[in-house]
Amino acid sequence: MSTAIPGPDGRLRCPWGLSTADYVDYHDTEWGRPVHGDDALYERLCLEAFQSGLSWITILRRREGFRRAFADFRIAKVAAFTDEDAARLLTDESIIRNRAKIQATIANARVLADWAPGELDELIWSYAPDPATRPAPRTLADVPPVTDESTALSKALKKRGLRFIGPTTAYALMQACGLVDDHLADCVARGSRTP
């Protein structure tokens, strides 16, 4: 059933948000809260792509390594990465050393570097569903892995030249960046998203 469960402080949380101290902090202070800004959204796009096939805790615990390796996810800086930078990243143990994901991260920065300021933010947020159409999930089984909006967002990003952003990754991005509020109905963090 996986309904909200009490944490050490007695407050109800989504079950996944209690499995480690890292998750408690991420769940309570970041996941599901609105993220704006091209560089900030680019970081989340990249991290969600790196997470594909792995557990989120693996990415979360390497987040600072990713930030160092990818110039704090500054689009303009990553767009200027060379083949030597890509080779360096393949030896960097502080990140996930996946050639296809590293290449996609750099290629996506090069695509985004040609966009107008705020264009990525505007595009991503244009796919946020009306919160009134989404009932609060009561259990984890009520949370979908993909939605019509995430499928449409994935298609729009791919059409514009971005890689490694399928509908499931797009939905994880929407959840993480507050486009949707998938905290369970009884979760203490439910409603932390502001429209």
Side-chain angles (χ1 to χ4, degrees), residues 5 7-9 11-14 16-18 20-33 183 187-190 192-193:
I5 56 176
D9 58 4
R11 299 187 314 165
L12 296 175
R13 289 181 177 84
C14 302
W16 67 265
L18 288 168
T20 71
D22 295 329
Y23 268 160
V24 173
D25 182 58
Y26 178 70
H27 170 274
D28 287 2
T29 65
E30 188 172 351
W31 192 78
R33 295 181 188 248
H183 286 286
C187 177
V188 67
R190 176 85 191 163
S192 59
R193 175 189 179 272

Side-chain angles (χ1 to χ4, degrees), residues 107-118:
N108 288 346
R110 290 177 180 155
V111 169
L112 293 171
D114 289 334
W115 291 22

Side-chain angles (χ1 to χ4, degrees), residues 5-160:
I5 56 176
D9 58 4
R11 299 187 314 165
L12 296 175
R13 289 181 177 84
C14 302
W16 67 265
L18 288 168
S19 59
T20 71
D22 295 329
Y23 268 160
V24 173
D25 182 58
Y26 178 70
H27 170 274
D28 287 2
T29 65
E30 188 172 351
W31 192 78
R33 295 181 188 248
V35 174
H36 286 282
D38 293 343
D39 288 336
L41 287 165
Y42 168 66
E43 175 183 358
R44 300 324 191 282
L45 268 171
C46 296
L47 294 177
E48 294 297 345
F50 271 101
Q51 187 269 331
S52 181
L54 302 170
S55 68
W56 178 246
I57 196 68
T58 300
I59 303 304
L60 193 59
R61 288 181 174 160
R62 293 178 184 222
R63 192 172 192 181
E64 290 309 313
F66 276 109
R67 286 177 172 164
R68 280 190 302 277
F70 288 101
D72 286 324
F73 292 99
R74 300 289 185 237
I75 293 168
K77 289 185 177 184
V78 179
F81 277 19
T82 64
D83 290 344
E84 290 76 22
D85 290 311
R88 169 185 53 81
L89 292 168
L90 285 170
T91 65
D92 188 336
E93 294 181 3
S94 70
I95 66 169
I96 304 301
R97 295 170 292 169
N98 178 295
R99 183 181 306 275
K101 293 176 183 181
I102 289 169
Q103 289 173 341
T105 299
I106 296 168
N108 288 346
R110 290 177 180 155
V111 169
L112 293 171
D114 289 334
W115 291 22
E119 193 172 352
L120 177 62
D121 190 306
E122 184 178 332
L123 176 69
I124 288 175
W125 277 91
S126 73
Y127 288 89
D130 178 354
T133 66
R134 296 180 49 85
R138 305 289 310 164
T139 71
L140 293 179
D142 297 333
V143 178
V146 68
T147 63
D148 291 343
E149 293 89 356
S150 74
T151 300
L153 174 58
S154 171
K155 287 179 182 177
L157 291 169
K158 286 180 180 179
K159 185 176 182 181
R160 301 284 301 271

